[in-house]
Amino acid sequence: MGSDQILKKSVIGGFKKEGVLNYIEQLQTEIVGLKRELNNDKSEADGEISSLKNENESLKSENAGLIEANAAYALKIEESQVSIDEYRTKLQLCEEKIAAIEEKFSEIESSFQNADFSGSESESSSQSVRDRIDSLYCKAKAQLSSVQSDVSAISRKLSDICAEFNSAASALNESASEISAIIKELSDGINSIGGEV
């Protein structure tokens, strides 16, 4: 805006004093208004920065908690893996026991087939073979029952450990997703501040 359009010229030449003073006063009022607006904007920006700093501290604290939780889950997963390995070893031992029992059953079957129960042998000898077969059969049956019980217990334990492992892995995955979301939110907040500056 041209000052000669706002300020009226005097008849003698130059500008009227009253117009110049009014114009200066108007400019001072505008300057004060702009300073006030600038101070308000600065206060608002300072408030936003302070809020973002607080949010950043809160997110850092949450992140530290999530990192700690992740470490705990990682430890749980490691412990679960050790337990799984131990139970696999026990299961292998049970399988070996089953193989030994099957071998004993084969011996019993072989002894039974080779035994002559005809009247040619004495009855006491025949009874001795039967007693031996019965004894072997009872021992094999007891061992098989024990092994089946061990296998069932190991199977239940493995199932529990796998469930724990899956739960820990799921929680770990969820924590990682939360951390990723928090980092994205923080990044978006920083980008929005950068865009405003």
Side-chain angles (χ1 to χ4, degrees):
M1 66 184 137
S3 59
D4 57 342
Q5 291 175 353
I6 293 172
L7 300 173
K8 292 184 180 176
K9 292 191 178 185
S10 66
V11 179
I12 300 172
F15 297 102
K16 287 186 178 180
K17 182 178 181 182
E18 186 181 307
V20 170
L21 292 176
N22 285 341
Y23 180 66
I24 290 173
E25 191 176 313
Q26 180 186 353
L27 288 176
Q28 285 177 335
T29 304
E30 282 181 29
I31 288 170
V32 167
L34 288 172
K35 280 183 179 178
R36 193 175 298 128
E37 191 177 320
L38 182 63
N39 284 338
N40 287 343
D41 288 349
K42 185 181 180 300
S43 296
E44 215 174 283
D46 287 345
E48 279 185 41
I49 288 169
S50 176
S51 171
L52 284 169
K53 280 181 181 176
N54 290 339
E55 189 178 337
N56 187 31
E57 289 303 315
S58 172
L59 289 173
K60 278 182 183 177
S61 175
E62 279 182 45
N63 191 28
L66 289 171
I67 287 170
E68 192 175 309
N70 281 346
Y73 286 128
L75 183 62
K76 246 185 182 179
I77 288 171
E78 194 175 307
E79 287 171 355
S80 296
Q81 189 60 47
V82 168
S83 295
I84 287 171
D85 291 343
E86 286 174 2
Y87 282 105
R88 281 188 179 145
T89 302
K90 285 183 181 180
L91 193 59
Q92 185 178 355
L93 289 173
C94 287
E95 286 171 353
E96 288 169 7
K97 282 183 182 179
I98 289 171
I101 290 168
E102 285 174 349
E103 191 176 317
K104 284 198 178 184
F105 271 120
S106 294
E107 285 176 26
I108 292 169
E109 191 177 24
S110 175
S111 294
F112 188 76
Q113 287 173 352
N114 292 336
D116 183 14
F117 294 107
S118 63
S120 62
E121 285 192 23
S122 68
E123 193 166 310
S124 65
S125 174
S126 176
Q127 185 62 38
S128 171
V129 171
R130 283 190 189 124
D131 289 346
R132 187 167 167 250
I133 289 171
D134 285 344
S135 172
L136 284 172
Y137 179 76
C138 288
K139 282 181 186 175
K141 190 172 178 182
Q143 283 184 341
L144 183 60
S145 175
S146 169
V147 169
Q148 282 176 332
S149 174
D150 288 350
V151 168
S152 294
I154 289 170
S155 178
R156 282 192 302 274
K157 282 280 192 185
L158 276 174
S159 182
D160 291 346
I161 288 170
C162 286
E164 267 185 48
F165 182 82
N166 288 338
S167 173
S170 176
L172 191 61
N173 189 27
E174 192 175 311
S175 294
S177 296
E178 287 175 11
I179 290 171
S180 177
I182 289 169
I183 289 170
K184 184 181 182 329
E185 187 178 320
L186 186 59
S187 175
D188 290 348
I190 290 170
N191 287 339
S192 69
I193 290 172
E196 291 174 8
V197 176

